[in-house]
Amino acid sequence: MENCIFCRIIEKTAPSEIIYEDEEFLVIRDIHPLTPLHLLVIPRRHFTSLNELDESDPAYVGRLIFTARRIASEQVGPKGGYRLVINTGETAGQSVFHLHLHILSGRPLISSLITRGLR
Ligand code: 5GP
Ligand code: ZN
């Protein structure tokens, strides 16, 4: 989709540090990391947010989560903790309107549901 930074990253017309890619997902390093490890799992298909995913293919969501789990485990090690976050909608802190899942790790995270304000 034109004017979508994540679509441009997927098309490789915009730069990014790619950690992993397959036919469905791209994993990149966040440009403004909130934690020492801050990755984004981005579907190649443009969905504006989680709300645009239809329920006819629940396995797709499973593959998204399992991809995040696999990459997090590889990066963090089997004993390290990590947090997965999907901000959905502007009032929830979503700023890029192409579905993505944050992987946050590398320092103790406070017991909070929000990711902003952790700096
Ligand atoms: P959101 O706030 O929508 O949940 O998360 C968007 C994330 O994308 C933010 O953490 C922001 O730092 C990151 N981001 C925005 N633009 C770019 C970019 O051009 N490259 C990379 N690697 N990350 C970006
Ligand atoms: Zn997009």
Side-chain angles (χ1 to χ4, degrees), residues 1-2 4 6-14 26 44:
M1 188 174 271
E2 232 179 302
C4 171
F6 287 175
C7 281
R8 289 174 50 218
I9 284 173
I10 285 158
E11 290 159 7
K12 298 189 175 145
T13 54
L26 201 72
R44 287 188 187 276

Side-chain angles (χ1 to χ4, degrees), residues 27-83:
V27 182
I28 65 168
R29 206 174 290 282
D30 197 291
I31 204 166
H32 295 124
L34 293 170
T35 48
L37 182 73
H38 187 170
L39 305 179
L40 302 170
V41 185
I42 307 174
R44 287 188 187 276
R45 286 174 63 189
H46 179 99
F47 301 101
T48 302
S49 80
L50 184 61
N51 288 341
E52 272 62 51
L53 272 185
D54 65 51
E55 294 178 22
S56 63
D57 191 7
Y60 184 80
V61 184
R63 291 194 296 277
L64 174 67
I65 301 282
F66 285 134
T67 299
R69 182 181 76 169
R70 191 175 71 252
I71 301 302
S73 299
E74 282 171 14
Q75 296 280 322
V76 173
K79 290 193 176 145
Y82 57 89
R83 181 177 293 176

Side-chain angles (χ1 to χ4, degrees), residues 5-6 28-31 87 93-96 100 102 116:
I5 181 61
F6 287 175
I28 65 168
R29 206 174 290 282
D30 197 291
I31 204 166
N87 295 322
Q94 186 175 0
S95 61
V96 176
H100 55 282
H102 296 256
R116 297 290 163 194

Side-chain angles (χ1 to χ4, degrees), residues 69-112:
R69 182 181 76 169
R70 191 175 71 252
I71 301 302
S73 299
E74 282 171 14
Q75 296 280 322
V76 173
K79 290 193 176 145
Y82 57 89
R83 181 177 293 176
L84 303 182
V85 174
I86 302 177
N87 295 322
T88 304
E90 213 169 317
T91 55
Q94 186 175 0
S95 61
V96 176
F97 289 87
H98 177 133
L99 174 63
H100 55 282
L101 188 154
H102 296 256
I103 301 172
L104 299 161
S105 183
R107 67 172 168 82
L109 295 173
I110 57 168
S111 179
S112 164

